[in-house]
Amino acid sequence: MPFGYNTLMTCLNENFFLREVTDVARDLLGKRLVRSADGQRVSGIISETEAYRGEEDLACHARSGRTNRNAVMYGMAGRAYIYFTYGMHWCLNAVCGPSGFPAAVLLRAIHPEEGLEFIAARRDGVKPADWCRGPARLCKALAIDGSLNGVSLCDSESQIFIEEGYELDDTSVTTSPRIGIQYAPEPWRSKLWRYTADVVRGHN
C-alpha cells in the first residue's frame, strides 16, 4: 500500500480552498492529487506549491485585471485553473478565496504514488525523480491540459481532484521566493510564497 494512503479517499471540500491562499498553499503539501485517466487512478502526494494573490500581486496572472485567460481565477474556490505557457506547457492551479477575488495555488510538484506505469509511459526517458518535479512536468505526466480548465477539484467524479493525504510537520516545510517571476517588482519578487516539503520523510 502506498505511503500515506488514505483508504477513505476523502476529497477536500470547497471550504478548504475558501481560505487565505498562502494558508492553502502550505496546507496542500501532503495532500493527494488524483487524475482519473483511461479508466485508472493516477496520483501523487503534493510536495511543492506557490501562492498567487489578487490583482495587487504583480507576479499574479490577475495583475492586469480579468481576462479570458484568467477568468477561472475570479470564480468559485476549489476549481482548476489551467493555463498554457511558453507556447508548449500546461500548468495546474487550485483557485482559492471568495468568488470575485483572483487567487490560486500553483501545483509545482508531486511524489508519484499510483499509476506509475501510466506516468512512466508519458515521461519516457526521464528518470523517476524528475517525472513530476516542476509544474509543466507534472501536467505532462498526468495528462492535464486546457480541456480540464474550470473543473472541480472537490468532486471524486471529476477527472482531477484533490484528496486528504496526511499532515506534515512544520519542521519539514520550507518557504522561499517564487520561481520564474523576475519580471515582478519588489516586494512581490521576494515574497516567501513558495512552499516545499520532503513528503516521504515529513509525514506523521
Side-chain angles (χ1 to χ4, degrees):
M1 184 174 289
F3 75 89
Y5 194 77
N6 182 349
T7 56
L8 295 177
M9 300 180 185
T10 304
C11 277
L12 301 182
N13 60 35
E14 183 179 323
N15 288 335
F16 178 92
F17 296 97
L18 272 171
R19 300 176 298 138
E20 173 62 43
V21 66
T22 51
D23 292 336
V24 177
R26 159 61 181 88
D27 292 346
L28 278 172
L29 298 176
K31 301 300 188 284
R32 180 178 294 104
L33 175 65
V34 182
R35 171 76 163 101
S36 178
D38 297 340
Q40 66 175 309
R41 278 175 57 102
V42 183
S43 77
I45 300 298
I46 298 170
S47 59
E48 183 179 349
T49 62
E50 286 179 349
Y52 290 86
R53 189 185 188 281
E55 294 176 0
E56 73 276 12
D57 177 1
L58 297 184
C60 180
H61 283 180
R63 61 187 177 275
S64 299
R66 183 170 180 155
T67 65
N68 288 336
R69 183 195 194 200
N70 68 24
V72 172
M73 288 185 72
Y74 288 78
M76 293 177 58
R79 300 285 173 164
Y81 167 46
I82 302 171
Y83 65 84
F84 198 54
T85 187
Y86 299 120
M88 65 180 75
H89 299 307
W90 295 101
C91 295
L92 170 64
N93 302 256
V95 176
C96 300
S99 293
F101 183 81
V105 174
L106 173 65
L107 303 186
R108 288 194 52 88
I110 63 172
H111 179 87
E113 186 182 57
E114 299 173 276
L116 300 185
E117 291 183 0
F118 179 94
I119 294 174
R122 293 188 58 82
R123 303 292 285 133
D124 187 38
V126 177
K127 61 183 180 180
D130 289 336
W131 279 351
C132 303
R133 188 172 59 86
R137 294 173 178 177
L138 185 161
C139 284
K140 184 173 179 61
L142 271 61
I144 294 171
D145 61 27
S147 68
L148 301 173
N149 188 40
V151 303
S152 174
L153 298 172
C154 305
D155 182 356
S156 60
E157 298 299 315
S158 178
Q159 294 183 65
I160 323 171
F161 52 96
I162 301 177
E163 295 177 344
E164 293 286 357
Y166 51 80
E167 299 299 321
L168 293 174
D169 296 329
D170 285 339
T171 56
S172 70
V173 176
T174 60
T175 60
S176 58
R178 295 169 291 182
I179 293 174
I181 58 165
Q182 293 81 3
Y183 57 83
E186 297 293 359
W188 310 105
R189 190 187 308 171
S190 297
K191 290 281 188 182
L192 301 180
W193 286 356
R194 176 179 173 229
Y195 301 81
T196 59
D198 184 337
V199 297
V200 178
R201 295 182 181 179
H203 68 283
N204 290 323

